[in-house]
Amino acid sequence: MRSATKSARAIAVSGAAVLALTACSPGQGGSAGGQSSDTYTWWDPYPQHQKSSGWAKRVAKCGDEAGVTIERTAYDTTALTNQALLAAQEGTAPDIMLLDNPAVSTLADTGMLTTMKEFGLDTSGIDANLLSAGVVDGKEYGVPVGANTLALYYNKDVLDAAGVDPASVEDWDSLTAALEKVTGAGKKGITFAGIGTEEGSFQFLPWFWGAGADLRDLDSPQAREALELWTGWRNKGYAPASVINNSQNTTWEEFLTGDFGFAVNGTWQVDSAKEAKFATGVVQIPGKDGGVAPTPTGGEFITAPVQKDTGRYDVTHKIVRCMTTPEGMVETAKTFAYYIPPTKAGQDRLLEDEPDLKPWVDAVRSAKGRTGDNLGTDYPKISEPLWTAVQKSLSGAEKPKEALAEAQSTAKGEVG
């Protein structure tokens, strides 16, 4: 999950109404229907990457290697999911489709995606924690082309002035103690995105999971501990009032002012952090009692929609293979600057060229898919009540216990 131009992708998808939306990027278009034998259709959620971009050239190159032309169409993530649902109804799916990982289960539920076993793609090298976002009822419906996740960025100048060693942040107590020192030194403690959208759930999940909570039990004692942590920071002034409305983008803008000790944000800010006017660093989000908290994975899966002409799968397989070799995944990582390859081989190759990315590789290796634990299409029905509870608690409208009890009741009614 990313911010800035990609923040709209953070909205969780559901299989509700199918909207006939068109959001092709300039200079790109075409229909998934009526494919010719030398042209293969490709949909992805990157409209910001125009035909002349490194990404577009990378896609075209994989087509060239397979001996065909790729006709690429780019949509905003939400529009892509809606368009895919429409294509499922009309039988006009593209040959290849990249989906934001929580959407994979939604599209698999329609029957429009081949399983990777049916498609003949070996997934044994993909990290299981990353692959899980595309697994429904034990079947794999795609593979990640890369992953991003969350960690704690810190302002070294602010921490030095407050006498805080970032290495001392090992659990919730030590992090809270660091925030107390930073605010005591006249600076601001931590900023995060508590907005009432999927971005809010995305940022809360490391603390929720780090307490040992389960998404099917939103009002457990562990869940309450996580929400009490965030709410306590807000009430003590360790986190600003703005977190209630902060997106991940506005959170980052706050951090770049140089006033904050810490910010929860993602891999996609690596380049921006290098350009900051102060020295920055990264530490993992700690679990309540120590260790690294599981963080949610963002990033897209490459999928192969079902085709009436199954003879097309051979070439599609070549294109997908081009994208998912260790070399191919490193090339994708470098093209986007914030993707971590989903295989150990790819990660190791990336670190040979970019050793500073090790904290992010470590974070991705311990990350967890939001639709994992076989939540599938139930995840959006759980996520919205969760972010609503976070909003109510941070705003003071309800105590954490009451807010989460209401969230659990709502989610149980939706999921059944």
Side-chain angles (χ1 to χ4, degrees):
M1 177 173 288
R2 278 143 285 173
S3 54
T5 60
K6 307 178 196 75
S7 61
R9 293 184 203 163
I11 302 172
V13 296
S14 68
V18 178
L19 305 178
L21 300 177
T22 348
C24 300
S25 57
Q28 296 165 347
S31 167
Q35 299 105 318
S36 67
S37 60
D38 59 355
T39 299
Y40 277 64
T41 49
W42 170 295
W43 291 359
D44 69 41
Y46 310 132
Q48 74 277 21
H49 292 287
Q50 303 296 318
K51 192 172 182 179
S52 60
S53 68
W55 171 248
K57 291 176 181 177
R58 166 138 176 67
V59 171
K61 179 183 175 184
C62 283
D64 292 342
E65 291 184 8
V68 297
T69 298
I70 291 182
E71 184 181 84
R72 173 179 171 252
T73 303
Y75 299 88
D76 170 81
T77 293
T78 304
L80 173 59
T81 303
N82 287 326
Q83 193 67 28
L85 288 166
L86 183 62
Q89 289 185 339
E90 298 179 344
T92 57
D95 291 289
I96 298 165
M97 185 161 51
L98 266 68
L99 296 169
D100 191 21
N101 70 76
V104 175
S105 57
T106 298
L107 273 297
D109 195 51
T110 70
M112 75 174 296
L113 301 179
T114 64
T115 67
M116 292 298 95
K117 183 176 181 180
E118 293 167 338
F119 185 59
L121 191 70
D122 180 13
T123 62
S124 60
I126 307 293
D127 289 355
N129 65 315
L130 304 180
L131 187 63
S132 67
V135 176
V136 180
D137 294 330
K139 298 178 180 178
E140 301 157 354
Y141 287 91
V143 296
V145 293
N148 52 49
T149 194
L150 298 169
L152 284 174
Y153 285 91
Y154 63 83
N155 181 325
K156 186 176 184 301
D157 297 343
V158 168
L159 296 196
D160 285 349
V164 173
D165 179 357
S168 69
V169 176
E170 298 178 334
D171 52 24
W172 288 4
D173 286 345
S174 56
L175 176 55
T176 300
L179 299 182
E180 183 178 8
K181 287 183 178 181
V182 168
T183 54
K187 290 293 187 178
K188 299 175 181 178
I190 188 169
T191 182
F192 51 82
I195 191 171
T197 69
E198 176 60 19
E199 287 189 67
S201 290
F202 188 77
Q203 290 233 329
F204 183 61
L205 281 173
W207 315 95
F208 183 88
W209 284 332
D214 187 299
L215 282 169
R216 293 198 184 275
D217 188 7
L218 295 181
D219 63 346
S220 67
Q222 295 85 355
R224 291 198 295 273
E225 286 180 314
L227 191 51
E228 286 167 355
L229 178 73
W230 266 25
T231 305
W233 287 346
R234 164 73 184 86
N235 292 342
K236 293 176 182 177
Y238 297 164
S242 60
V243 296
I244 298 172
N245 298 312
N246 271 356
S247 67
Q248 294 184 109
N249 188 52
T250 52
T251 293
W252 189 249
E253 290 171 354
E254 286 185 335
F255 182 65
L256 290 180
T257 64
D259 293 332
F260 286 85
F262 297 91
V264 181
N265 225 290
T267 327
W268 52 91
Q269 302 293 9
V270 166
D271 288 345
S272 179
K274 290 178 182 177
E275 297 169 0
K277 295 179 180 179
F278 48 87
T280 65
V282 175
V283 294
Q284 306 303 315
I285 296 175
K288 177 180 179 292
D289 298 317
V292 177
T295 53
T297 55
E300 282 70 43
F301 270 56
I302 190 165
T303 66
V306 172
Q307 301 296 324
K308 293 178 182 177
D309 179 5
T310 57
R312 298 180 68 83
Y313 292 150
D314 286 343
V315 171
T316 301
H317 189 279
K318 292 178 182 178
I319 296 169
V320 173
R321 281 291 302 156
C322 173
M323 297 295 298
T324 57
T325 61
E327 297 83 1
M329 287 179 171
V330 169
E331 190 171 345
T332 295
K334 291 183 176 179
T335 298
F336 284 132
Y338 45 69
Y339 261 163
I340 302 300
T343 66
K344 185 178 186 303
Q347 292 161 6
D348 290 345
R349 293 191 187 195
L350 179 64
L351 289 177
E352 289 176 7
D353 297 335
E354 303 281 350
D356 290 346
L357 290 177
K358 189 176 186 307
W360 292 108
V361 169
D362 291 342
V364 163
R365 284 175 174 169
S366 63
K368 182 175 179 178
R370 284 166 279 171
T371 58
D373 299 329
N374 210 35
L375 285 177
T377 56
D378 286 343
Y379 173 74
K381 303 170 188 175
I382 295 169
S383 177
E384 184 168 356
L386 180 60
W387 82 55
T388 301
V390 170
Q391 284 273 294
K392 288 180 178 179
S393 183
L394 289 177
S395 68
E398 292 182 2
K399 298 292 185 182
K401 182 177 181 179
E402 286 72 29
L404 287 168
E406 185 177 331
Q408 177 63 15
S409 177
T410 301
K412 189 174 181 179
E414 290 289 329
V415 174

